[in-house]
Amino acid sequence: MREWTREERYRELKSPEEIRKLHERNAASVYRQAYHVQPVTGLSSDPNGFTRYKDVWHLFYQWCPWGAVHGLKYWYHVTSRDLLSWKNAGVGLYPDRDFDNRGVHSGSAITAGGKLLLFYTGNHRDENWVRTPYTCAAVLGADGKPEKLPAPLFGPRPDCSEHQRDPKIVWNAEKERYYIFLGAQTADGRGSVLIYTAKDPLGAWTFAGQLKVPGYESFGGMWECPCITRLGGKDVLIFSPQYTLLPGRGESTNHNIYLVGTMDYDTLTFTPEGDYRHLDYGFDFYAAQFASGVEEENKAILIAWIGLPDNHYPTEEEDWEGSMTLPRTLRLENGKLLQSPAADLASLRERELTKEEPLPAACELSVDLPESDFELALFTGSDGSGGLRLRYDAAKKICTVDRSGMDKRFNEKVGERLDVPFDAAPKTLRVFIDRSSTELFFGEGEAVFTTHSYPTERERNYTASAGVAVRGWALKPSVRDDFVI
Ligand code: FRU
């Protein structure tokens, strides 16, 4: 693993020419994604400002231009008409002001007064590297480029730690007010959300108080990327709690969970109706955010980073890493989220696979599952050994996903085996394999499992136990890898 100095990580990009060669090298990788958004160069992490505006989907991602390293962050902009074909639109937000001098960190978008507004964290550091996070805004101009407000909307609270970031803006029609949910850590190190409110989203904001979530007063050390939406007559709160182990999640200390319940804007209380659940049971899934109310009220589309903070991935050797998940449409059923791919992926099908042929680098599998124990192994060698193995235990209603058999192993210490629990046996499975990721949608989407996967040349086969019926299609690419800065 390459060691980076702070100077290298926080170097400012002065001209596209500085990274043109890097782009050529990155784009030539065999692990470059075919139908997932990925970094134009270097590293992509959290999705930001995901929304639909004037019939175009806008998505930004946390971007570090220089390589597979978390350093000076920009918002890189991509657009789509159908959530399937994505075009690079260039840098959205540069860390070019004193209040964001060490990074334009995560945030969200909303349409107000006919304009697309972006809210983000200005990560300011002084010469002693002391951090002051500011909540800032920008407005998308007619030229498609965001223009920043000259000053931040507000600074940090003195009664919390330096970890205060990732504004999620929402409009509350009943109160006729805007609210910002801001991820935070209390002074004594507990994860929290701070709530601010305003009549005018670009005007004066006041601190309303700390979000109360009964039962979650002491749950993790920082809640990154909080996000809330209305769905099916309920409120859904998601966040990424850090610095804590959770049952069944191996040694990982970074998670992404959701709660279904009711948000009371008078008492600033979110009352959950049941236990938390994982948004995704996979190894590599974090910082999810909704685009909500964008096509119709009560509709929410979710997207996340395929990756985790503190983790390392094999393409680091090629100086790039990261990818977005497929956007997912959410439904709520019996207090549980059901997730399904939002885009019409069937339109990417090139041809149906024959039984004998090896797995193409980008493909979809549609699998009928038996109610008994079963095993499905993807990316095996020609003798059926190794690979990414799914084993279902019908008595326990648990599917264990094991990636320890892959040639390219990574983050072994965090864990290479994870369980997916089911209320009822899943009858079907849709698998979306891209060049460096695999997403498993079980049943109607009651459980989803996302992992990076880097199969080698010889890992192109699969095996299925009796009763498992697999159909597959090769998929055409739908993302453009153009060098647009
Ligand atoms: C989550 C996160 C956010 C922050 C951003 C910086 O991965 O740590 O809290 O805004 O990444 O890149």
Side-chain angles (χ1 to χ4, degrees):
M1 201 200 321
R2 174 173 164 192
E3 290 295 329
W4 295 73
T5 63
R6 184 186 284 172
E7 217 174 31
E8 286 169 333
R9 288 192 290 137
Y10 283 86
R11 194 172 133 205
E12 242 180 277
L13 183 67
K14 298 267 167 49
S15 144
E17 293 317 310
E18 295 175 285
I19 50 171
R20 187 183 289 277
K21 284 253 144 50
L22 179 64
H23 170 77
E24 279 168 21
R25 199 150 54 76
N26 291 168
S29 166
V30 296
Y31 294 117
R32 215 56 187 164
Q33 299 278 57
Y35 59 100
H36 287 78
V37 173
Q38 63 198 327
V40 58
T41 63
L43 173 134
S44 61
S45 52
D46 311 2
N48 294 154
F50 181 37
T51 195
R52 188 176 148 125
Y53 175 65
K54 295 191 176 163
D55 291 336
V56 175
W57 289 95
H58 292 266
L59 172 68
F60 301 80
Y61 55 75
Q62 286 283 284
W63 178 52
C64 184
W66 304 115
V69 68
H70 292 270
L72 187 62
K73 296 283 177 78
Y74 297 64
W75 277 30
Y76 189 88
H77 191 186
V78 292
T79 60
S80 173
R81 293 220 165 243
D82 55 7
L83 295 172
L84 187 64
S85 307
W86 291 94
K87 272 198 273 185
N88 286 344
V91 179
L93 293 170
Y94 290 82
D96 54 3
R97 304 295 153 96
D98 187 50
F99 55 77
D100 58 22
N101 66 346
R102 293 293 179 259
V104 179
H105 283 187
S106 287
S108 57
I110 199 167
T111 302
K115 295 211 155 36
L116 178 64
L117 313 183
L118 305 173
F119 293 79
Y120 69 94
T121 297
N123 184 50
H124 171 85
R125 285 189 187 270
D126 69 11
E127 57 288 357
N128 299 317
W129 211 246
V130 175
R131 167 142 74 171
T132 310
Y134 293 102
T135 298
C136 312
V139 184
L140 195 76
D143 59 354
K145 294 285 170 200
E147 195 161 315
K148 289 180 187 172
L149 262 57
L153 298 170
F154 51 86
R157 302 263 326 148
D159 51 359
C160 282
S161 84
E162 59 162 8
H163 296 294
Q164 299 179 49
R165 56 179 175 265
D166 311 338
K168 166 64 185 174
I169 177 147
V170 288
W171 163 249
N172 186 285
E174 218 171 280
K175 298 255 167 240
E176 296 190 334
R177 296 191 74 90
Y178 291 90
Y179 291 86
I180 280 179
F181 286 60
L182 194 71
Q185 181 186 58
T186 59
D188 61 353
R190 287 171 297 117
S192 177
V193 173
L194 304 177
I195 299 188
Y196 292 79
T197 183
K199 272 271 174 207
D200 167 5
L202 300 180
W205 283 84
T206 50
F207 178 60
Q210 199 178 321
L211 177 70
K212 296 178 217 52
V213 188
Y216 293 81
E217 291 78 6
S218 193
F219 187 86
M222 163 68 189
W223 290 4
E224 294 195 312
C225 305
C227 201
I228 189 162
T229 194
R230 288 289 293 168
L231 192 68
K234 307 269 179 197
D235 293 300
V236 182
L237 176 71
I238 65 177
F239 54 95
S240 297
Q242 288 192 302
Y243 314 126
T244 184
L245 296 167
L246 292 180
R249 302 300 300 165
E251 295 304 309
S252 181
T253 55
N254 298 296
H255 313 276
N256 206 168
I257 62 165
Y258 73 90
L259 293 168
V260 176
T262 314
M263 178 67 207
D264 183 333
Y265 285 87
D266 286 320
T267 61
L268 303 181
T269 305
F270 184 96
T271 308
E273 282 176 11
D275 285 344
Y276 74 84
R277 290 179 191 268
H278 294 276
L279 267 176
D280 187 291
Y281 288 93
F283 300 104
D284 305 304
F285 182 97
Y286 199 70
Q289 71 166 241
F290 309 118
S292 38
V294 281
E295 282 176 314
E296 51 192 80
E297 230 182 304
N298 256 324
K299 180 160 179 182
I301 314 263
L302 185 88
I303 194 159
W305 165 28
I306 305 185
L308 284 186
D310 316 319
N311 281 8
H312 296 276
Y313 297 92
T315 52
E316 276 189 21
E317 281 175 20
E318 304 173 343
D319 283 322
W320 72 279
E321 77 179 32
S323 171
M324 295 295 118
T325 61
L326 291 173
R328 306 169 180 179
T329 303
L330 303 181
R331 279 188 299 133
L332 196 60
E333 214 175 272
N334 301 326
K336 217 171 155 177
L337 286 180
L338 304 185
Q339 310 180 35
S340 49
D344 175 19
L345 286 150
S347 67
L348 295 185
R349 290 177 184 173
E350 220 167 23
R351 63 191 165 78
E352 185 157 358
L353 305 178
T354 62
K355 288 272 166 287
E356 297 72 35
E357 85 174 276
L359 290 174
C363 63
E364 172 192 350
L365 305 178
S366 174
V367 188
D368 287 331
L369 301 170
E371 287 199 24
S372 53
D373 292 1
F374 69 79
E375 184 171 30
L376 174 66
L378 306 169
F379 311 121
T380 64
S382 51
D383 64 352
S385 67
L388 178 74
R389 303 191 86 90
L390 280 64
R391 279 187 211 95
Y392 182 67
D393 181 327
K396 294 190 182 139
K397 294 207 198 81
I398 284 177
C399 183
T400 303
V401 182
D402 182 347
R403 71 177 179 190
S404 65
M406 300 284 295
D407 285 350
K408 283 194 190 290
R409 293 171 70 175
F410 48 99
N411 302 318
E412 289 103 309
K413 287 211 184 88
V414 180
E416 297 179 287
R417 241 166 256 109
L418 283 172
D419 287 345
V420 187
F422 291 93
D423 296 335
K427 294 192 169 61
T428 56
L429 168 65
R430 288 179 81 188
V431 182
F432 292 95
I433 294 174
D434 205 342
R435 293 167 188 272
S436 51
S437 66
T438 301
E439 285 151 291
L440 310 168
F441 289 80
F442 289 93
E444 298 298 305
E446 56 261 37
V448 189
F449 191 105
T450 301
T451 178
H452 268 303
S453 46
Y454 304 88
T456 55
E457 267 300 298
R458 60 168 213 99
E459 293 176 310
R460 288 289 172 211
N461 302 284
Y462 67 90
T463 63
S465 62
V468 177
V470 183
R471 281 181 75 187
W473 294 267
L475 297 184
K476 292 183 283 202
S478 68
V479 294
R480 304 249 299 261
D481 214 350
D482 301 339
F483 185 61
V484 185
I485 301 300

